Amino acid sequence: MTRLLILHTGGTIGMQPSPQGYVPAAGFFERLARHLKGQAPDTLPAYHLIELAPLIDSADSAPADWNRIVAALAEHWREYDAFIVLHGTDTLAYTASALSFMLGPLDKPVVLTGAQIPLGEPRSDAVNNLSTALLMAADPAIPREVCIVFHDRLLRGNRARKVRSQGFDAFDSPDAPWLGEGGIHLNLHGHRALPLGTPDFTQRHFASGAVAMLLVHPGLSISLLDAVLADPALKGLVLLTYGVGNPPGLDGALIDRLTQAGQAGVAILNVSQCQQGRVVQGTYATGAALQAAGVIAGQDLTPEAALTKLQVLIADGLQGEALRSALATPLRGEMAAE
């Protein structure tokens, strides 16, 4: 029998209504047990649940919280065969991506899930998401990697995005096939799994201001770019560009600034604003200018994966050409190879 641990980190799934709106509430273990009793007897695997204290408000999630989750997994890794992490949906894709890079190759599945409506509220999706996560995590065919289960979909964690703010099908992986789906039967695609390995539970120091993200847009001022690049702590920048990786020209000033930043040691990663498709920097002249400036093509990285990959690699001490090479290389299935 598979030994399952549920790690409750916070989020809508465990909240209850109040005059001020949904708020975190104690007693989640008892409430969850009561609601899962409504399932057919003996259809769900047994589980143990632990709760982070204090719980994480998803909107306030920070890299330090990734360390807390990694520490909790490390403490219980030997005792259990699979792990469910309950998390708020707003930053769930960031946490899933970060955990994939922090933990590295795995020999057990780590499955993140949550809910759009709190457990116990009318039409809540909490029981379906959690029961599906439990059943998938206990299935021998599940990939041993960081995944997301949401609305009967099993997604690679560092390929997933929150694509709807209110729909139950809130998460998808627009540029990568699902790892599984739940219908009348569970259908898990083990052939898409990453290679197995031994997890890394190292606690990282994430320096404040080391990584930034800049969305290019019509009317982007060079003074805004200057303000971002002026931070002495900055070591990495995710540049969200148009289409296949095209920036505005800004009369050459943007390329000049990015070239200077790269020469000063800032790693710049180019990611498309589009949900599907990859960055191809040489397609248009403006994109080719980025290539000449030393900007790294992020292929089909999601913004969440790009940001967290930069944060983890910089926290691991990579810099210069070693950092550039790692950013351009698929490490945990997060991007297509060139």
Side-chain angles (χ1 to χ4, degrees):
M1 183 176 293
T2 304
R3 300 165 298 172
L4 292 171
L5 178 67
I6 298 176
L7 175 61
H8 178 33
T9 72
T12 297
I13 191 169
M15 292 184 175
Q16 289 189 314
S18 79
Q20 293 76 40
Y22 291 130
V23 295
F28 180 74
F29 179 83
E30 292 77 12
R31 286 186 284 127
L32 177 61
R34 185 169 65 251
H35 285 283
L36 290 184
K37 278 184 180 178
Q39 305 293 300
D42 303 323
T43 57
L44 290 180
Y47 63 87
H48 182 63
L49 185 144
I50 62 173
E51 191 171 281
L52 284 189
L55 293 172
I56 302 168
D57 183 326
S58 178
D60 288 332
S61 177
D65 295 312
W66 306 336
N67 274 329
R68 294 175 61 203
I69 295 172
V70 167
L73 292 172
E75 183 179 353
H76 299 281
W77 196 259
R78 292 176 180 268
E79 304 167 47
Y80 297 93
D81 303 308
F83 301 84
I84 312 291
V85 179
L86 304 184
H87 195 286
T89 60
D90 283 347
T91 54
L92 190 148
Y94 287 97
T95 295
S97 294
L99 291 178
S100 76
F101 299 125
M102 294 174 73
L103 294 170
L106 299 181
D107 53 2
K108 300 175 183 180
V110 175
V111 180
L112 284 78
T113 193
Q116 293 285 72
I117 300 176
L119 180 72
E121 289 294 286
R123 301 186 61 250
S124 172
D125 55 334
V127 169
N128 180 67
N129 286 342
L130 185 49
S131 59
T132 302
L134 286 167
L135 289 168
M136 286 187 171
D139 193 307
I142 189 171
R144 270 61 173 171
E145 55 182 275
V146 178
C147 309
I148 291 174
V149 166
F150 219 93
H151 196 63
D152 297 323
R153 300 168 177 175
L154 178 66
L155 312 172
R156 175 158 294 148
N158 56 34
R159 287 288 201 152
R161 304 203 70 193
K162 187 174 183 181
V163 295
R164 290 178 178 82
S165 64
Q166 295 181 305
F168 286 148
D169 54 342
F171 287 86
D172 203 349
S173 52
D175 256 324
W178 300 350
L179 298 179
E181 59 272 340
I184 295 175
H185 303 288
L186 297 183
N187 185 16
L188 303 181
H189 308 304
H191 63 284
R192 295 174 182 162
L194 297 173
L196 302 182
T198 303
D200 179 3
F201 298 115
T202 302
Q203 293 285 288
R204 270 80 170 186
H205 171 67
F206 294 99
S208 177
V211 177
M213 182 180 287
L214 179 66
L215 178 82
V216 306
H217 56 271
L220 174 67
S221 69
I222 200 64
S223 60
L224 176 59
L225 177 63
D226 285 340
V228 172
L229 296 177
D231 188 341
L234 187 70
K235 295 183 178 179
L237 175 67
V238 178
L239 194 66
L240 294 174
T241 54
Y242 307 128
V244 291
N246 302 315
L250 297 182
D251 296 326
L254 182 142
I255 299 300
D256 288 344
R257 300 299 200 281
L258 295 179
T259 301
Q260 294 167 16
Q263 292 171 347
V266 177
I268 303 169
L269 188 56
N270 185 14
V271 176
S272 175
Q273 296 176 21
C274 299
Q275 286 210 15
Q276 286 187 306
R278 64 165 64 184
V279 164
V280 185
Q281 288 186 163
T283 304
Y284 296 92
T286 52
L290 288 178
Q291 189 84 4
V295 174
I296 304 154
Q299 304 298 336
D300 53 358
L301 278 170
T302 67
E304 295 87 348
L307 186 80
T308 55
K309 185 176 183 180
L310 256 175
Q311 288 174 307
V312 173
L313 292 177
I314 289 171
D316 283 341
L318 271 68
Q319 56 184 331
E321 192 53 42
L323 177 59
R324 293 176 52 81
S325 176
L327 288 171
T329 303
L331 302 180
R332 298 299 305 146
E334 74 280 5
M335 62 190 288
E338 287 192 53

